[in-house]
Amino acid sequence: MKTPYKNIYTILKLNRFIVLAVVIFTLITTLFSGWLVYDMHKKTLTHAFAVNTDGAVIPLKWLNQKENLEVEILSHLELFHNYFYNIDATNYENHLEKALWLGNSAVDNLYRQKKADGVYNRLIQYSLVQKVKSIHSEIDLNIDPFQFKTTTVFEINRGTIIDTYELISSGNLIHVDRHFPHNTHGLLITNYFENSLRKIENETP
């Protein structure tokens, strides 16, 4: 005897197949969309776009960050050592404030230690002028955080006497968000330590 429900199992199988196909298609579409978004994100990290005078969009390829990294690090280290050690009674507060933006608590602790030892009081009391003569840094880009060792030569002018010193310092550098105008390179000095300080004797002819 024929009934309208004789193909119920066939219909259920068809419905299950359709639902399964929709789920699989949705999953594939979602994964593909996610991949497209990820690929687009990667491309935006290495490309920029500009609009020329006739309204056309021109893709601009960014330089590889590592090509400029050494220049940025050396500039950051030179800036920090100039601010931290090139000081006198009139500018030391302003210079040290700028230097503290370029390093973490290790730099701040060294500043507080020098302050407690009376370094800046003597600077004011005796009108000393501490002038940086040269800064030479060695960096290792193969290790993250990046390691550095800097040799800073500076003079202390005591009026009639000028003494020259060589300071060797070391530490690490990490990436942080750029902060204009306080930290334009987007780098932060960590584990900063003054390894040695020696007086350079003036050579006599």
Side-chain angles (χ1 to χ4, degrees):
M1 179 177 174
K2 295 183 179 181
T3 66
Y5 306 105
K6 68 175 184 175
N7 295 325
I8 186 70
Y9 292 108
T10 303
I11 295 174
L12 289 175
K13 286 181 180 180
L14 180 61
N15 288 342
R16 185 172 61 179
F17 173 77
I18 294 174
V19 171
L20 187 60
V22 170
V23 171
I24 293 175
F25 177 76
T26 303
L27 180 62
I28 293 174
T29 303
T30 303
L31 292 175
F32 181 69
S33 300
W35 178 82
L36 283 179
V37 171
Y38 174 74
D39 185 62
M40 187 181 300
H41 174 69
K42 285 183 64 178
K43 288 181 178 179
T44 57
L45 293 178
T46 56
H47 293 76
F49 297 92
V51 179
N52 64 9
T53 54
D54 60 3
V57 178
I58 307 171
L60 301 175
K61 181 73 175 179
W62 284 356
L63 293 175
N64 190 318
Q65 185 180 6
K66 197 166 185 178
E67 293 177 0
N68 293 325
L69 184 57
E70 183 176 0
V71 175
E72 294 241 28
I73 288 177
L74 292 175
S75 179
H76 186 86
L77 292 173
E78 182 172 356
L79 193 63
F80 167 76
H81 286 83
N82 262 313
Y83 281 144
F84 203 74
Y85 298 103
N86 198 74
I87 54 177
D88 58 41
T90 63
N91 68 17
Y92 81 96
E93 289 182 327
N94 183 43
H95 278 205
L96 292 173
E97 180 183 355
K98 292 179 179 179
L100 292 176
W101 276 95
L102 307 179
N104 71 347
S105 58
V107 175
D108 183 65
N109 290 338
L110 179 60
Y111 158 71
R112 293 179 184 276
Q113 178 185 334
K114 288 178 177 289
K115 187 175 182 180
D117 293 340
V119 172
Y120 306 119
N121 285 336
R122 289 194 293 273
L123 198 72
I124 299 172
Q125 183 177 357
Y126 300 108
S127 298
L128 302 179
V129 177
Q130 185 169 294
K131 184 176 181 180
V132 171
K133 303 298 293 181
S134 67
I135 299 169
H136 175 72
S137 296
E138 299 175 4
I139 57 178
D140 186 355
L141 300 180
N142 297 318
I143 302 176
D144 193 2
F146 310 116
Q147 298 179 350
F148 71 87
K149 182 175 75 172
T150 301
T151 301
T152 305
V153 176
F154 61 89
E155 294 178 345
I156 297 182
N157 189 326
R158 296 181 170 86
T160 58
I161 301 175
I162 298 178
D163 294 323
T164 305
Y165 295 88
E166 179 190 77
L167 170 71
I168 297 178
S169 56
S170 63
N172 302 106
L173 281 160
I174 61 174
H175 286 288
V176 295
D177 291 337
R178 295 178 188 267
H179 190 295
F180 184 83
H182 301 296
N183 191 333
T184 56
H185 295 107
L187 296 165
L188 194 71
I189 295 172
T190 65
N191 301 321
Y192 186 70
F193 186 74
E194 294 182 343
N195 298 282
S196 64
L197 177 66
R198 72 179 183 92
K199 184 177 180 181
I200 300 176
E201 299 297 335
N202 295 326
E203 296 181 357
T204 56

